[in-house]
């Protein structure tokens, strides 16, 4: 495959580090090893970001290692790559 061409999207998903948010607000980061049509995820080297004991809505930089995790699709709220994203201006915000 030439260096200028991009591999298919399903190949990129399996080798990229991802961050996901689960129902209940838990946030984890790990290497996506597999997924299916209903968003069941297999994450390896998973780290969970712990919440602030005084403010349960605030996520701290403290982590705990979970290792290999299988997350059920209905509990997964958000999946995004850790690298390769950038924030853009909201096109719907009133100027």
């Amino acid at each position: 495959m030439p260096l200028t061409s991009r591999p298919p999207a399903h190949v990129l998903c399996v080798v990229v580090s991802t961050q996901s948010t689960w129902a209940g607000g838990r946030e984890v980061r790990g290497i996506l090893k597999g997924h299916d049509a209903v968003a069941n995820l297999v994450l390896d080297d998973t780290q969970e970001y712990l919440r602030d004991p005084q403010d349960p809505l605030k996520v701290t930089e403290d982590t705990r290692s979970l290792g290999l995790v299988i997350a059920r699709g209905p509990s997964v709220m958000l999946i995004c790559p850790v690298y390769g994203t950038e924030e853009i201006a909201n096109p719907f915000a009133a100027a």
Side-chain angles (χ1 to χ4, degrees), residues 17-23 25-32 41-51 59-60 62-71 75-82:
S17 181
T18 61
Q19 183 165 345
S20 61
T21 303
W22 298 345
R26 295 176 73 181
E27 293 188 20
V28 299
R29 181 179 288 185
I31 299 170
L32 182 63
L41 303 178
V42 178
L43 298 168
D44 197 14
D45 296 329
T46 307
Q47 298 287 321
E48 177 185 8
Y49 287 86
L50 302 175
R51 298 200 167 274
V59 177
T60 66
D62 297 333
T63 62
R64 71 176 180 147
S65 179
L66 300 178
L68 184 67
V69 172
I70 300 172
S75 67
V76 176
M77 304 303 289
L78 173 72
I79 308 167
C80 63
V82 173

Side-chain angles (χ1 to χ4, degrees), residues 11-18 30-33 81-83:
V11 173
L12 289 174
C13 290
V14 176
V15 295
V16 73
S17 181
T18 61
I31 299 170
L32 182 63
K33 294 293 187 175
V82 173
Y83 306 107

